[in-house]
Amino acid sequence: AQSVSQHNHHVILSEAASLELGCNYSYGGTVNLFWYVQYPGQHLQLLLKYFSGDPLVKGIKGFEAEFIKSKFSFNLRKPSVQWSDTAEYFCAVNARRTGANNLFFGTGTRLTVIP
Amino acid sequence: NAGVTQTPKFQVLKTGQSMTLQCAQDMNHEYMSWYRQDPGMGLRLIHYSVGAGITDQGEVPNGYNVSRSTTEDFPLRLLSAAPSQTSVYFCASSRRQGTSGSRGFYEQYFGPGTRLTVT
């Protein structure tokens, strides 16, 4: 079975600090990878996705993530966070195979950005 | 497009009551799914559907039923509510890559959620 680990449960940063959130997954086959963000009181929104190609993926709002296949990792980065980035961030993975699209989520990382 | 819509936004049930959470999408997506979100556990898949008339179980299906009579709608039924079903429920949808069944799906779009409390 697939599983996703997000090691940072709560990260607190000051504005302009750099961000890196870890995500590791366990699955032996080919995967699609996602980062979703959930702002307070809102639903999940897609930040970025990796299906194939360049392992460095750029998403919305200045976020990027790098897929390192050998490490089964898909860490999320942002060079300079803003107060508006305060939210919960979820890494998710699904197996790249036909007939299924079931996402496995990590437990989430809560990011608090202090002005 | 309205995207993925869910009703109600909030619901309180007593143990043993039944109810249906509604989910609809207007994007003609083939795939629809239900997740529950619990503190410290992320989102877990309850049931999913890859097209009208086709449903299957996810990671935590017990106590829930689904049906998919149309492409647009994917209701989730709680048969006899239990306090362990207190959670936030999210519906999601995505479209298939290409027109044949041999392709996978694109990313999922989520609805606004239903916060359910069972007392």
Side-chain angles (χ1 to χ4, degrees):
Chain A
Q2 301 164 52
S3 67
V4 180
S5 297
Q6 291 181 246
H7 308 294
N8 312 105
H9 298 294
H10 190 190
V11 173
I12 303 173
L13 296 173
S14 298
E15 272 192 318
S18 64
L19 170 72
E20 181 159 2
L21 301 182
C23 173
N24 289 90
Y25 66 93
S26 65
Y27 181 67
T30 307
V31 295
N32 299 318
L33 297 155
F34 308 86
W35 276 97
Y36 283 87
V37 61
Q38 187 176 29
Y39 297 104
Q42 296 189 27
H43 61 286
L44 277 77
Q45 301 172 42
L46 183 68
L47 262 184
L48 46 78
K49 61 191 178 188
Y50 173 80
F51 282 83
S52 63
D54 189 343
L56 183 61
V57 179
K58 294 193 184 298
I60 61 172
K61 304 185 181 186
F63 286 90
E64 65 177 31
E66 185 176 10
F67 171 46
I68 301 178
K69 188 175 181 180
S70 61
K71 295 185 178 180
F72 297 88
S73 69
F74 191 54
N75 292 354
L76 180 71
R77 300 194 292 250
K78 186 172 184 179
S80 176
V81 295
Q82 302 173 315
W83 175 79
S84 58
D85 293 325
T86 294
E88 191 146 18
Y89 293 80
F90 293 93
C91 181
V93 60
N94 68 4
R96 195 187 308 160
R97 55 186 171 88
T98 60
N101 193 25
N102 303 343
L103 283 174
F104 288 84
F105 283 84
T107 53
T109 297
R110 180 179 300 174
L111 173 65
T112 301
V113 180
I114 301 170
Chain B
N1 288 350
V4 180
T5 58
Q6 291 183 238
T7 55
K9 288 189 176 180
F10 302 94
Q11 184 69 50
V12 179
L13 291 178
K14 295 187 186 303
T15 298
Q17 288 184 315
S18 62
M19 79 158 295
T20 299
L21 307 185
Q22 301 292 344
C23 174
Q25 52 90 11
D26 61 358
M27 299 174 283
N28 203 31
H29 285 175
E30 296 90 346
Y31 181 93
M32 296 186 73
S33 55
W34 278 100
Y35 294 85
R36 58 178 289 173
Q37 182 181 25
D38 300 295
M41 301 189 73
L43 281 81
R44 292 177 294 167
L45 182 66
I46 304 171
H47 285 286
Y48 67 96
S49 168
V50 298
I54 306 168
T55 63
D56 207 344
Q57 296 180 349
E59 188 182 355
V60 288
N62 292 341
Y64 307 95
N65 269 0
V66 292
S67 60
R68 184 97 180 268
S69 56
T70 67
T71 299
E72 295 78 18
D73 300 298
F74 191 46
L76 178 72
R77 297 183 187 86
L78 279 70
L79 309 171
S80 177
S84 60
Q85 293 178 305
T86 293
S87 188
V88 181
Y89 291 84
F90 289 99
C91 180
S93 74
S94 66
R95 66 183 175 91
R96 191 181 291 279
Q97 299 179 18
T99 54
S100 75
S102 63
R103 305 298 301 273
F105 293 87
Y106 288 112
E107 67 273 15
Q108 295 187 36
Y109 293 86
F110 284 81
T114 295
R115 185 174 294 273
L116 175 67
T117 301
V118 183
T119 60

